[in-house]
Amino acid sequence: MPDADAMTVVLFSVFVALVIIGVPIAFVLGISSLAAMYFVADYPMQVVVQRMFAGVDSFPLMAIPFFMLAGAVMEKGGITKRIINFALSLVGGLRGSLAHVVSISGVIMGGISGSGVADTAAIGTLMVPEMKKRGYELPFSAALVAASGSIGLIIPPSIAMILYGVSSGTSIGDLFMAGFLPGILIAAGFMMVSHFHAKKRNYPAEPRMTRAEKLVCFKDSIWALLLPIIIIVGIRMGVFTPTEGGVVAAVYAIVIGKFVYKELAWSDFSEIFSSAVSSTATISFLIATASLFGWILASEQIPQQISETILSISSNKYAILLMIIGLLLVVGVFMDLGPAIIILVPVLVPVATSLDINLTQFGLIMVMTLTIGLLTPPVGTALYVASNISKVSLSRLSVAALPFVGVMLFVLLLMAFIPGLTTWVIK
């Protein structure tokens, strides 16, 4: 048997060293695991392949490539444009209308793709140039786009929720239902921040649409708006599983984009499938290496040690919840959400269970806290996407995102300390 202390030292020393020098997190997880196994343990190297394959050999995880495909089709097939037009029909006449459109679009599009980064790119590509033309400050516009795109990881169907559900054995359908209220509250908070900025900076109001014009926008967007409803109702009613829901989303998006809106050309499909495959491969490799890393942690009983240490500090449920949220906020600064969930679920779920915290509520807390990491450098992937679109420096963008991070933290604390806000939808 390997020396547990030496194994832990090598594992985390290599991990920290690689993170510091900027190695991508998927390779960090794999290399640190290999180093610990090769230099300390006597495990056969075949275990590496076995554990990595076992990490991705899951039927629910098959939902991820299909939701990725749906997101790629959404952008090319005119769905994103119609969602934005529909959102504009709702807020025309309000000062800072385009800012409100971004927040509403984040909620609706989150109900289709399940990917915060994809939604940030789709919304930002269309909205940042339009907001710039109308005199909105670029840092504010880009920060709002990054924050609103991140709602896609909370509003169902969420890829992050799928990862948590697979890792913890929690119902993915329950997790999806629990994500609605916090997602809507966050978007409402963003709209309040936008209203304050719009009045302070005198941002323009877009023309108010007549009832007839609103009806035209609604009719034009109805097929796009039906997609998240079909997915959530279908999963909740037991018509199909989350994985089958991903297939439904992808097929539906293709049919609507190609045959209803007629904006998809056959030549677009090579780019769409290439984008979906590339995104899926990245996530799958992350899951595989994180699974290997997590298996080593489990074999050395590190989760149990951490759990016992946390519980020894305090017996107060809410004090421990605050400590966990603080830990997740720090982790989110340095690690992508996917591998963080896979690694930390085995560590933290036993703590939640011992404190009698509902695992659906706890999953929502984990996902919401780690989602904030999309808006905090150095990892902050949503910030990088928004920075690339707007050409605003990451430092200026990070400062502009602080009010939106504040909104997300406030809603997070509501969900953490008022369990009924989460659990009422799954009883």
Side-chain angles (χ1 to χ4, degrees):
M1 291 293 293
D3 184 326
D5 291 338
M7 186 95 163
T8 303
V9 168
V10 172
L11 183 70
F12 286 104
S13 297
V14 175
F15 180 93
V16 171
L18 293 175
V19 168
I20 289 173
I21 64 175
V23 175
I25 190 64
F27 293 97
V28 170
L29 294 166
I31 293 170
S32 57
S33 300
L34 281 170
M37 293 176 69
Y38 182 79
F39 291 111
V40 182
D42 55 0
Y43 296 121
M45 286 296 106
Q46 294 93 319
V47 172
V48 174
V49 177
Q50 291 172 356
R51 299 317 307 176
M52 290 179 68
F53 179 79
V56 294
D57 185 21
S58 168
F59 181 71
L61 288 179
M62 289 178 62
I64 293 175
F66 292 111
F67 282 121
M68 287 289 185
L69 178 60
V73 173
M74 180 177 68
E75 186 174 356
K76 283 284 186 180
I79 295 175
T80 300
K81 178 175 65 179
R82 285 167 173 82
I83 288 173
I84 288 175
N85 287 338
F86 171 72
L88 183 57
S89 74
L90 299 177
V91 296
L94 297 179
R95 185 168 296 281
S97 303
L98 291 188
H100 299 317
V101 166
V102 171
S103 298
I104 296 171
S105 299
V107 172
I108 299 174
M109 291 174 62
I112 298 175
S113 73
S115 168
V117 174
D119 289 350
T120 299
I123 297 172
T125 301
L126 291 174
M127 293 304 298
V128 168
E130 289 299 319
M131 294 174 80
K132 182 180 179 182
K133 286 180 189 176
R134 287 163 172 77
Y136 289 75
E137 292 180 317
L138 265 181
F140 166 78
S141 303
L144 175 61
V145 164
S148 298
S150 69
I151 297 176
L153 289 169
I154 300 167
I155 287 283
S158 159
I159 290 172
M161 298 285 195
I162 294 171
L163 290 176
Y164 174 85
V166 171
S167 302
S168 66
T170 307
S171 166
I172 294 174
D174 285 350
L175 289 165
F176 281 0
M177 293 301 295
F180 268 116
L181 180 59
I184 291 170
L185 288 176
I186 288 170
F190 289 172
M191 293 178 73
M192 292 175 64
V193 172
S194 298
H195 176 72
F196 173 79
H197 274 272
K199 292 195 70 174
K200 184 177 180 181
R201 303 293 182 185
N202 199 31
Y203 293 151
E206 300 303 307
R208 188 186 300 275
M209 293 188 184
T210 65
R211 184 173 299 179
E213 289 172 329
K214 290 180 180 180
L215 186 60
V216 169
C217 280
F218 176 72
K219 287 181 177 178
D220 192 40
S221 62
I222 185 64
W223 293 107
L225 298 174
L226 277 174
L227 179 49
I229 297 172
I230 290 171
I231 295 170
I232 301 306
V233 172
I235 293 172
R236 191 62 181 169
M237 299 285 291
V239 178
F240 42 73
T241 66
T243 300
E244 293 163 346
V247 177
V248 170
V251 173
Y252 183 94
I254 290 171
V255 170
I256 297 306
K258 177 63 181 172
F259 301 107
V260 178
Y261 294 150
K262 298 180 180 179
E263 293 194 20
L264 272 181
W266 291 116
S267 58
D268 292 328
F269 281 92
S270 60
E271 182 182 345
I272 288 170
F273 281 102
S274 175
S275 173
V277 168
S278 176
S279 299
T280 302
T282 301
I283 292 177
S284 297
F285 185 58
L286 274 170
I287 293 170
T289 55
S291 177
L292 175 63
F293 189 89
W295 176 77
I296 293 176
L297 292 180
S299 68
E300 301 307 314
Q301 297 188 327
I302 294 173
Q304 291 90 328
Q305 295 172 30
I306 295 175
S307 176
E308 291 170 3
T309 301
I310 292 174
L311 293 173
S312 69
I313 296 173
S314 173
S315 58
N316 184 284
K317 176 194 295 189
Y318 297 108
I320 292 177
L321 263 180
L322 282 175
M323 285 191 288
I324 290 174
I325 289 171
L327 170 66
L328 292 173
L329 286 172
V330 173
V331 169
V333 170
F334 299 104
M335 186 180 293
D336 283 324
L337 185 145
I341 287 176
I342 296 169
I343 291 170
L344 292 175
V345 162
V347 175
L348 298 178
V349 163
V351 178
T353 302
S354 67
L355 295 172
D356 198 30
I357 299 173
N358 183 281
L359 290 187
T360 300
Q361 180 200 7
F362 190 71
L364 186 65
I365 291 170
M366 281 197 72
V367 169
M368 289 180 66
T369 310
L370 291 170
T371 295
I372 293 173
L374 270 69
L375 304 176
T376 54
V379 170
T381 46
L383 285 184
Y384 282 107
V385 172
S387 176
N388 184 58
I389 292 170
S390 64
K391 308 306 178 188
V392 175
S393 69
L394 194 63
S395 58
R396 292 181 67 198
L397 198 51
S398 300
V399 173
L402 288 177
F404 304 110
V405 171
V407 169
M408 296 180 77
L409 281 172
F410 176 74
V411 176
L412 167 63
L413 293 176
L414 282 181
M415 297 300 125
F417 294 110
I418 309 178
L421 293 176
T422 305
T423 56
W424 72 274
V425 293
I426 60 176
K427 288 182 178 177

